[in-house]
Amino acid sequence: PRARIHTELAGQYYMQRQYSVALEELRDALQTDAAYAPAYNILGLVHAALLEDKEAETNFRRALDLAPQYSEAHNNYGYFLCTRKRRAEAMAHFEQAWQNPLYATPEKALANAGQCALSDGDLGEAERYAQRALIRADNQPQALVTLAEIQYRRGNDTMARALLQQLEAKGNLDPSALWLAVKLERRAGN
């Protein structure tokens, strides 16, 4: 339980971008239990945020060596790989995550796969993954942003705007959604 508590605290500090404090909590967690996979997962996220790619990758792999069915680590490692332009490897980890019937939020991995395909310019695959994410969670914010971006790229501004309005109604406008809204308004001459 102590390793879990330190890891959960580290996750909160990570979310607040207090990386040095997160690293201290993770050190404490791993001193308590050196085989606690969630600590290595969060350690991977922290190192990725610090652009320490070698350390990030080592920690994600350690988490998955300790817990091969750990979907959250597969999802996070996939996201890391995608942001490092390693789409094929990323997609394999997203798939590992969403195919686990015990994973509570497979829509996150599906939405990440859609975003990854979109960042690589594959609109068709991005759309398929985003739609699958929305089947599991009809207001999955990242999937909605991906679909809105696809509609924008295809020139269907009305549909893109409708998707952004759906996000706004739920209070889920993140920076990527706001940027897309700006691009839509500029294209409309506003």
Side-chain angles (χ1 to χ4, degrees), residues 56 79 85 100 136 149 172 178:
Y79 184 82
K85 306 290 185 229
N100 180 350
R136 293 182 179 267
E149 177 70 31
N172 286 325
L178 291 171

Side-chain angles (χ1 to χ4, degrees), residues 69-116:
Q69 299 301 312
Y70 185 20
S71 292
E72 197 64 34
H74 277 293
N75 183 46
N76 290 336
Y77 187 31
Y79 184 82
F80 166 80
L81 291 168
C82 183
T83 60
R84 283 11 181 221
K85 306 290 185 229
R86 292 162 62 185
R87 178 178 167 195
E89 293 171 82
M91 295 309 233
H93 284 282
F94 293 139
E95 189 170 345
Q96 284 276 110
W98 80 63
Q99 286 191 348
N100 180 350
L102 300 177
Y103 188 28
T105 55
E107 66 277 1
K108 283 177 19 184
L110 287 161
N112 279 336
Q115 187 64 46
C116 192

Side-chain angles (χ1 to χ4, degrees), residues 75 78-79 81-83 85 87 90-91 94 98 107-131 133 140-150 153 167 174-177 179-180 183:
N75 183 46
Y79 184 82
L81 291 168
C82 183
T83 60
K85 306 290 185 229
R87 178 178 167 195
M91 295 309 233
F94 293 139
W98 80 63
E107 66 277 1
K108 283 177 19 184
L110 287 161
N112 279 336
Q115 187 64 46
C116 192
L118 181 66
S119 69
D120 208 24
D122 189 339
L123 301 188
E125 187 171 352
E127 188 171 28
R128 285 188 293 279
Y129 283 120
Q131 294 288 3
Q140 210 292 332
Q142 189 179 355
L144 289 169
V145 171
T146 296
L147 289 177
E149 177 70 31
I150 290 166
R153 289 187 191 183
L167 274 167
D174 68 358
S176 64
W179 177 240
L180 180 56
K183 292 189 301 186

Side-chain angles (χ1 to χ4, degrees), residues 39-65:
Y40 291 102
N41 178 45
I42 301 294
L43 204 48
L45 290 172
V46 173
H47 284 294
L50 295 171
L51 303 178
E52 296 169 343
D53 289 4
K54 188 174 186 289
E55 293 86 350
E57 189 153 1
T58 298
N59 284 292
F60 285 129
R61 286 186 177 183
R62 179 76 174 126
L64 292 169
D65 286 345

Side-chain angles (χ1 to χ4, degrees), residues 135-173:
I135 287 168
R136 293 182 179 267
D138 63 354
N139 279 310
Q140 210 292 332
Q142 189 179 355
L144 289 169
V145 171
T146 296
L147 289 177
E149 177 70 31
I150 290 166
Q151 294 303 324
Y152 171 79
R153 289 187 191 183
R154 290 179 175 160
N156 190 348
D157 293 1
T158 304
M159 187 60 168
R161 197 172 274 109
L163 288 161
L164 289 176
Q165 287 169 347
Q166 188 177 340
L167 274 167
E168 185 181 23
K170 297 290 182 186
N172 286 325
L173 287 178

